[in-house]
Amino acid sequence: PLAFRLQLGHSLPLAVQEGFLEKAGPVYAFSHDSLQAAVCDLIPVFERKFFHKKIGTSLMMRWNTLDPNHIILAADQMNLCKDELELSSEERVSIAGLQLLAGKHSMKSSCFESARSYIESGVSLLQENHWESNYSLSLELYEMSALVSFIDGNGNADATMKRLQSILQHAKTFEDTLNASVLLSKFMGSR
């Protein structure tokens, strides 16, 4: 690994000099999307999934979780591999939580399409018994799913109703039903 880091450390400035990469502070990025795609195409498809998982996992563990850019970057990397790789229960929960954070940050930026994508990705990672095993995460993901569908207006009305009904069915306390009940009344009033 040390030899690779030394070689990479020498190669990155050369790639910037040749115009393949751009450097902004400590961050390197491809100078064009087609260059990035060409480099990715050099990696066999199955191995790419492992690279995306490694990058996403590394970002999840090392970066400040309060930085929306790192959260979204980590979520994007994990979305590129989550459907293709076997994930443990703990990994699924962790990635679902990451998707929730990315969705919340997208909502704050009024990027509702992105928010829906992250939230639905998080919901898809929940296991069958998620209401019992990951109640808080399930509640937040389902609330956000219904909310982003309602706000965006492009959401599936039946899916929104199913999310709200699921919350009301599985809520453990009266307080846990309040957001869903308010959203349900707004949803019904808007129809």
Side-chain angles (χ1 to χ4, degrees):
L2 180 59
F4 176 74
R5 278 190 233 148
L6 292 174
Q7 184 180 9
L8 186 61
H10 174 72
S11 300
L12 289 175
L14 182 60
V16 170
Q17 182 181 350
E18 293 294 325
F20 295 116
L21 295 177
E22 295 174 350
K23 184 175 191 240
V27 177
Y28 289 88
F30 285 97
S31 58
H32 197 279
D33 290 344
S34 60
L35 282 172
Q36 181 177 356
V39 169
C40 284
D41 287 343
L42 293 173
I43 303 168
V45 175
F46 185 70
E47 289 181 26
R48 265 185 246 164
K49 303 300 178 185
F50 289 106
F51 278 114
H52 291 301
K53 183 179 179 186
K54 188 172 184 174
I55 292 167
T57 302
S58 177
L59 287 168
M60 285 172 60
M61 292 193 308
R62 292 191 178 139
W63 293 99
N64 180 351
T65 57
L66 298 178
D67 185 343
N69 295 324
H70 294 131
I71 291 169
I72 288 174
L73 181 59
D76 288 342
Q77 289 297 311
M78 297 311 272
N79 282 338
L80 292 170
C81 71
K82 71 176 177 59
D83 296 330
E84 307 295 324
L85 298 175
E86 289 288 323
L87 300 171
S88 70
S89 298
E90 296 80 20
E91 287 175 319
R92 295 177 75 81
V93 169
S94 180
I95 298 169
L98 175 70
Q99 300 296 329
L100 176 63
L101 288 173
K104 286 180 176 181
H105 287 299
S106 294
M107 286 280 287
K108 287 179 186 175
S109 301
S110 298
C111 298
F112 302 118
E113 184 85 19
S114 294
R116 181 194 341 269
S117 177
Y118 291 125
I119 296 299
E120 294 307 321
S121 178
V123 169
S124 75
L125 287 161
L126 296 173
Q127 296 184 341
E128 263 186 57
N129 67 341
H130 62 91
W131 284 106
E132 292 81 31
S133 60
N134 299 99
Y135 177 77
S136 296
L137 178 60
S138 299
L139 181 63
E140 278 194 85
L141 280 168
Y142 272 61
E143 283 179 348
M144 289 296 294
S145 174
L147 180 63
V148 74
S149 293
F150 177 73
I151 290 173
D152 187 25
N154 292 327
N156 180 329
D158 291 335
T160 302
M161 279 299 288
K162 285 180 184 176
R163 294 280 194 252
L164 292 171
Q165 289 170 344
S166 186
I167 293 168
L168 295 172
Q169 177 184 354
H170 292 97
K172 291 182 178 179
T173 67
F174 173 74
E175 288 80 13
D176 290 347
T177 66
L178 291 178
N179 288 338
S181 297
V182 168
L183 188 56
L184 180 60
S185 66
K186 288 180 180 180
F187 181 71
M188 298 304 286
S190 69
R191 294 182 103 196

